[in-house]
């Protein structure tokens, strides 16, 4: 498809820089597809779109890092070939790898703490690279060993080169805005920091909750900030639509970012039911993935999820009358993304599964969390979406980390660590835990909004590629289909970028 031939002369007053270096090597990932289609749409509207594209510009990139062999170089040849296809006839600003001798001397002498807190020429390089280090090594607590230090140095050195070259590009193009994938992984995080230093508006995108949809924001996409007016209340038709979605969700029939999590869903077996009945009460504990890019936003009460679990374990030991069921997140064991600092490791190291009142459910056990929720006195979460679903089911939820849905009154979310522990003791001690009916109503409002207003569907333009989970191919469509007057989704995105409107659908598509 030669979209460029249909584009009018670009309007210099509407220049946009787009950058998404952490979404793929070969093939077309969801986020790479979103960026490509958005770029085409903007060009068809007369905007100048400049893609900041890697040309062997990182000694170690996110997708090209081998966690087991840090010295293995990225597969640049494959990436460059894919870039040539994606950006055919697009305006491209390539960046290459360039070391700074003074920086290299500093980072070669620094230990883990020094790298984490490193600033160079005013750029917080260590901080910008830390989420990527945790994500790629699949752990929160980094090891102070040679492979970890070598990788951190590669990332910091590469980030500095990106910062310098992206700064030059901004000064040359004078963009109205910058559009980035995710905003947390170091290439895009660095570009975001540079754009903000130049006072250029930055918009980030991530996969939305509904299939083949994008979420866009002028904030942190991985935090999924959403503002819901008090006036937004569900109609009977909208409630029916949400109930149909939840019916499938509660059976495990759902996917995220093109990945189907549950091949099957098992109910509670007789042994588990007997175990539950032998205790006065049951409290499920739902954990998250410690290296996920949502975690920096979540850590407002506890420094990290394992600190929360350590405190909870102390409480567990004081309440032998209560059965605590610790449920690991299914993403902890996902192929190619398995956690290397897992809840299973924590349970083993703390010998938590040796306690009579603890049951551990591993990430690869297709166990119905919803059936457990219905039996629970209350539910404990860190920041997982299961807390929102539990609230919808009417269960009291005690939340330990900031979640996308804690901006509304949906769960019990204490302000401090001590307040959390006090509330936990209180809930364990009372005969019956009651929460306002508004919690469930707000949870339904939030989930509906997230599914059908903030998730901008691109299924008109993309479909599964049939080879790799989460990767897509383009459907047949005409260039004019990418114009705002033909696509409500692309109209929302254009108005968000150029008129600073919210990235929200004003009506329910497909309802």
């Amino acid at each position: 498809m030669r979209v460029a031939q249909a584009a009018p002369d670009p309007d210099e007053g509407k220049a946009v820089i787009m950058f998404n270096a952490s979404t793929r090597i070969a093939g077309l990932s969801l986020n790479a597809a979103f960026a490509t289609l958005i770029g085409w749409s903007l060009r068809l509207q007369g905007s100048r779109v400049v893609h900041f594209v890697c040309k062997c510009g990182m000694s170690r990139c996110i997708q090209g890092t081998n966690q087991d062999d840090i010295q293995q170089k990225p597969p640049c040849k494959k990436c460059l070939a894919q870039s040539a296809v994606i950006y055919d006839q697009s305006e491209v600003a390539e960046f290459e790898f360039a070391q700074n001798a003074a920086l290299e001397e500093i980072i070669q002498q620094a230990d883990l703490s020094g790298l984490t807190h490193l600033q160079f020429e005013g750029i917080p390089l260590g901080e910008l690279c830390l989420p990527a280090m945790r994500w790629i090594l699949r752990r929160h607590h980094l090891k102070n060993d040679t492979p970890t230090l070598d990788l951190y140095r590669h990332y910091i050195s590469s980030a500095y080169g990106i910062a310098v070259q992206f700064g030059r590009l901004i000064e040359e193009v004078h963009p109205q805005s910058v559009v980035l994938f995710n905003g947390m992984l170091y290439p895009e995080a660095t570009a975001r920091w540079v754009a903000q230093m130049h006072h250029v508006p930055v918009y980030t995108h991530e996969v939305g909750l509904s299939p083949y949809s994008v979420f866009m924001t002028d904030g942190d996409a991985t935090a999924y900030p959403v503002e819901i007016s008090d006036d937004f209340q569900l109609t009977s038709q909208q409630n029916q639509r949400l109930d149909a979605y939840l019916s499938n969700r509660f059976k495990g029939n759902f996917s995220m970012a093109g990945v189907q999590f549950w091949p099957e869903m098992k109910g509670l077996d007789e042994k588990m039911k007997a175990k539950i009945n032998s205790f006065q009460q049951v409290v499920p504990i739902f954990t998250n993935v410690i290296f996920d890019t949502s975690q920096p936003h979540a850590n407002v009460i506890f420094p990290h999820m394992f600190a929360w679990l350590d405190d909870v374990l102390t409480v567990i030991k004081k309440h032998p009358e209560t059965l605590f069921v610790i449920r690991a997140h299914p993403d902890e064991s996902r192929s190619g993304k398995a956690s290397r600092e897992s809840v299973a490791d924590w349970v083993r190291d703390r010998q938590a599964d040796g306690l009579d009142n603890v049951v551990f459910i591993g990430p690869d056990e297709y166990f119905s969390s919803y059936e457990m929720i219905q039996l629970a006195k209350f539910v404990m979460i860190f920041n997982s979406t299961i807390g929102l679903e539990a609230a919808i089911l009417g269960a009291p939820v005690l939340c330990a980390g900031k979640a996308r849905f804690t901006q509304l009154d949906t769960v019990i979310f204490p302000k401090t660590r001590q307040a959390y522990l006090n509330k936990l003791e209180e809930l364990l001690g009372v005969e019956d835990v009651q929460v306002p009916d508004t919690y469930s109503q707000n949870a339904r409002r939030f989930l509906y909004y997230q599914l059908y207003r903030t998730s901008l569907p691109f299924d008109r333009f993309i479909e599964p590629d049939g080879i790799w989970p989460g990767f897509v191919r383009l459907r047949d469509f005409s260039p004019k289909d990418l114009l705002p007057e033909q696509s409500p989704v692309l109209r929302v995105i254009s108005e968000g970028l150029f008129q600073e409107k919210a990235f929200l659908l004003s009506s329910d598509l497909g309802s």
Side-chain angles (χ1 to χ4, degrees):
M1 178 178 295
R2 297 189 177 273
V3 173
Q5 293 181 350
D9 293 334
D11 180 351
E12 294 289 342
K14 289 186 176 182
V16 176
I17 297 176
M18 304 191 73
F19 183 37
N20 61 326
S22 303
T23 60
R24 51 88 193 157
I25 292 291
L28 191 65
S29 69
L30 272 172
N31 277 294
F34 297 148
T36 299
L37 291 162
I38 291 168
W40 286 350
S41 177
L42 297 178
R43 289 170 60 197
L44 287 167
Q45 297 172 59
S47 298
R48 181 186 180 190
V49 178
V50 182
H51 294 276
F52 191 56
V53 178
C54 180
K55 185 181 180 182
C56 304
M58 295 171 278
S59 60
R60 297 293 182 275
C61 62
I62 301 298
Q63 296 291 347
T65 296
N66 184 337
Q67 300 98 321
D68 297 315
D69 183 6
I70 302 305
Q71 301 309 317
Q72 179 178 308
K73 294 182 178 180
C76 295
K77 186 176 180 179
K78 291 182 179 179
C79 183
L80 289 170
Q82 183 67 19
S83 293
V85 173
I86 293 176
Y87 303 116
D88 180 39
Q89 300 192 54
S90 299
E91 183 176 355
V92 169
E94 296 176 329
F95 66 95
E96 300 179 340
F97 182 66
Q99 289 182 309
N100 179 286
L103 175 60
E104 292 303 311
E105 183 176 353
I106 293 171
I107 63 178
Q108 290 304 323
Q109 296 176 1
D111 60 7
L112 181 60
S113 177
L115 293 174
T116 301
H117 299 96
L118 186 141
Q119 292 201 22
F120 185 74
E121 296 181 357
I123 309 171
L125 294 169
E127 179 183 337
L128 290 170
C129 293
L130 183 57
M133 286 292 297
R134 287 172 168 162
W135 190 88
I136 201 66
L137 295 176
R138 312 300 194 228
R139 56 173 53 251
H140 177 86
H141 296 95
L142 302 179
K143 295 181 178 180
N144 193 16
D145 59 15
T146 298
T148 300
L149 297 180
D150 284 348
L151 181 61
Y152 215 151
R153 289 164 183 146
H154 278 294
Y155 281 6
I156 286 175
S157 183
S158 300
Y160 175 77
I162 289 172
V164 171
Q165 294 173 77
F166 197 76
R168 290 175 186 159
L169 180 62
I170 286 180
E171 291 169 357
E172 293 170 4
V173 174
H174 300 291
Q176 178 170 326
S177 60
V178 169
V179 178
L180 303 169
F181 160 67
N182 186 280
M184 293 293 288
L185 300 176
Y186 88 81
E188 293 82 5
T190 302
R192 184 184 186 199
W193 184 90
V194 171
Q196 290 172 334
M197 292 301 101
H198 284 78
H199 306 290
V200 177
V202 180
Y203 301 93
T204 57
H205 63 88
E206 257 290 0
V207 292
L209 188 59
S210 60
Y212 306 107
S213 69
V214 67
F215 173 81
M216 293 190 69
T217 177
D218 60 357
D220 294 305
T222 53
Y224 289 87
V226 178
E227 293 185 11
I228 302 178
S229 168
D230 292 339
D231 295 334
F232 178 74
Q233 301 293 330
L234 299 186
T235 65
S236 59
Q237 183 179 9
Q238 289 169 333
N239 272 310
Q240 290 174 9
R241 188 182 190 190
L242 183 60
D243 286 340
Y245 167 83
L246 289 169
S247 176
N248 282 320
R249 177 91 182 187
F250 293 156
K251 295 174 185 175
N253 298 329
F254 68 94
S255 64
M256 183 69 174
V259 177
Q260 184 79 24
F261 282 104
W262 301 101
E264 59 179 321
M265 183 78 83
K266 296 179 180 178
L268 300 177
D269 58 25
E270 294 305 316
K271 182 179 179 181
M272 186 64 176
K273 291 178 181 177
K275 179 81 171 179
I276 292 172
N277 290 333
S278 67
F279 285 85
Q280 179 179 319
Q281 55 197 14
V282 60
V283 175
I285 302 172
F286 295 100
T287 63
N288 214 311
V289 181
I290 192 64
F291 60 83
D292 190 79
T293 51
S294 70
Q295 293 305 285
H297 310 298
N299 300 331
V300 296
I301 300 177
F302 295 87
H304 51 80
M305 183 184 71
F306 290 121
W308 165 62
L309 286 174
D310 283 341
D311 280 1
V312 168
L313 184 58
T314 300
V315 176
I316 288 174
K317 292 177 179 178
K318 294 191 296 184
H319 288 272
E321 80 289 348
T322 304
L323 178 64
F324 294 88
V325 181
I326 302 173
R327 178 71 171 98
H329 194 284
D331 218 15
E332 270 203 348
S333 63
R334 193 207 300 186
S335 178
K337 196 182 174 183
S339 180
R340 300 190 177 196
E341 186 182 14
S342 67
V343 173
D345 294 336
W346 177 88
V347 167
R348 182 194 64 242
D349 294 344
R350 302 299 191 277
Q351 299 181 330
D353 54 349
L355 299 173
D356 290 339
N357 64 332
V358 170
V359 172
F360 173 63
I361 307 295
D364 54 353
E365 297 183 51
Y366 307 126
F367 161 87
S368 175
S369 299
Y370 307 109
E371 190 172 348
M372 176 62 67
I373 289 169
Q374 291 173 332
L375 297 174
K377 182 178 186 181
F378 62 94
V379 173
M380 295 172 63
I381 68 163
F382 194 65
N383 71 319
S384 175
T385 303
I386 191 70
L388 182 69
E389 296 165 333
I392 287 174
L393 289 170
V397 179
L398 179 60
C399 185
K402 184 179 179 182
R404 61 188 70 175
F405 47 84
T406 51
Q407 60 187 285
L408 294 182
D409 289 331
T410 53
V411 296
I412 303 167
F413 186 43
K415 300 296 184 183
T416 67
R417 190 171 185 167
Q418 190 57 53
Y420 177 92
L421 296 173
N422 292 342
K423 177 57 71 170
L424 175 55
E425 287 286 1
E426 176 190 328
L427 297 182
L428 288 169
V430 298
E431 183 174 345
D432 187 30
V433 179
Q434 297 290 332
V435 292
D437 292 340
T438 53
Y439 279 20
S440 177
Q441 296 166 11
N442 284 338
R444 290 181 64 89
R445 291 171 58 228
F446 186 91
L447 181 57
Y448 190 93
Y449 215 73
Q450 194 176 16
L451 281 167
Y452 306 119
R453 294 294 172 85
T454 68
S455 293
L456 308 178
F458 273 73
D459 51 347
R460 166 66 185 87
F461 307 106
I462 57 177
E463 62 186 3
D465 71 356
I467 302 173
W468 298 328
F471 280 71
V472 297
R473 62 188 177 193
L474 299 179
R475 293 179 179 271
D476 290 331
F477 57 87
S478 167
K480 68 179 182 180
D481 295 332
L482 294 169
L483 292 170
E485 53 267 31
Q486 299 295 327
S487 169
V489 165
L490 291 167
R491 181 171 64 249
V492 165
I493 292 173
S494 296
E495 291 176 349
L497 295 177
F498 298 133
Q499 300 177 34
E500 298 183 358
K501 292 186 178 182
F503 295 93
L504 296 173
L505 293 170
S506 59
S507 59
D508 300 344
L509 295 182
S511 61

